[in-house]
Amino acid sequence: METLRYIFLVFHLFGFAALLGGIFYQLRGKDTVTGSYMVSSAVVQLVTGIGLVWTRTSLDLPVPEAKMGVKLALDVLVAVVALVGMRNKKPWAFFAVATFTAAAAVVAVVWK
């Protein structure tokens, strides 16, 4: 089960890297629109985040419920806004996804 937790963790980080790396790459250009990579990366974040909580619970490791609730809400916001932005091609959605992604990273690192 510990190996599965590490697999979820690695793919969770891959999803974050794809999302934030794509955001930084797109900021270099003039066309800041939400792409399908944002939606798929957000789904990876959601699925692997749920898997991480499940494996920690299965291993009787502590799970900070308030922190996980905030992370879940931010990850759902990223996914929904990315999907809406991909369909509407509005720049505000791109910047909202970037902001919510950065907020999720801050919550993950700073909140103990």
Side-chain angles (χ1 to χ4, degrees), residues 15 17 19-20 30 33 37-39 43 56 59 61 76 79 84 90 96 104 106-108 112:
L19 190 55
L20 200 61
K30 297 181 193 264
V33 293
Y37 73 91
M38 289 184 169
V39 176
V43 170
R56 287 186 69 86
L59 292 169
L61 296 172
V76 168
V84 168
K90 301 289 183 186
V106 169
V107 167
K112 298 291 178 190

Side-chain angles (χ1 to χ4, degrees), residues 33-37 39 81-90 93:
V33 293
T34 307
S36 61
Y37 73 91
V39 176
V81 172
L83 185 62
V84 168
M86 188 180 74
R87 291 180 183 218
N88 295 339
K89 303 289 185 204
K90 301 289 183 186

Side-chain angles (χ1 to χ4, degrees), residues 7-112:
I7 290 170
F8 279 132
L9 181 61
V10 167
F11 280 100
H12 194 69
L13 292 174
F14 284 167
F16 175 74
L19 190 55
L20 200 61
I23 288 168
F24 284 139
Y25 181 77
Q26 253 188 316
L27 281 174
R28 294 176 50 190
K30 297 181 193 264
D31 191 24
T32 53
V33 293
T34 307
S36 61
Y37 73 91
M38 289 184 169
V39 176
S40 57
S41 297
V43 170
V44 167
Q45 287 287 100
L46 276 170
V47 170
T48 57
I50 291 168
L52 281 168
V53 171
W54 172 71
T55 54
R56 287 186 69 86
T57 304
S58 298
L59 292 169
D60 291 327
L61 296 172
V63 177
E65 292 164 1
K67 177 182 176 179
M68 292 304 113
V70 170
K71 284 274 296 157
L72 177 64
L74 286 170
D75 287 345
V76 168
L77 273 173
V78 168
V80 168
V81 172
L83 185 62
V84 168
M86 188 180 74
R87 291 180 183 218
N88 295 339
K89 303 289 185 204
K90 301 289 183 186
W92 67 265
F94 173 82
F95 293 107
V97 168
T99 302
F100 292 140
T101 301
V106 169
V107 167
V109 172
V110 175
W111 192 331
K112 298 291 178 190

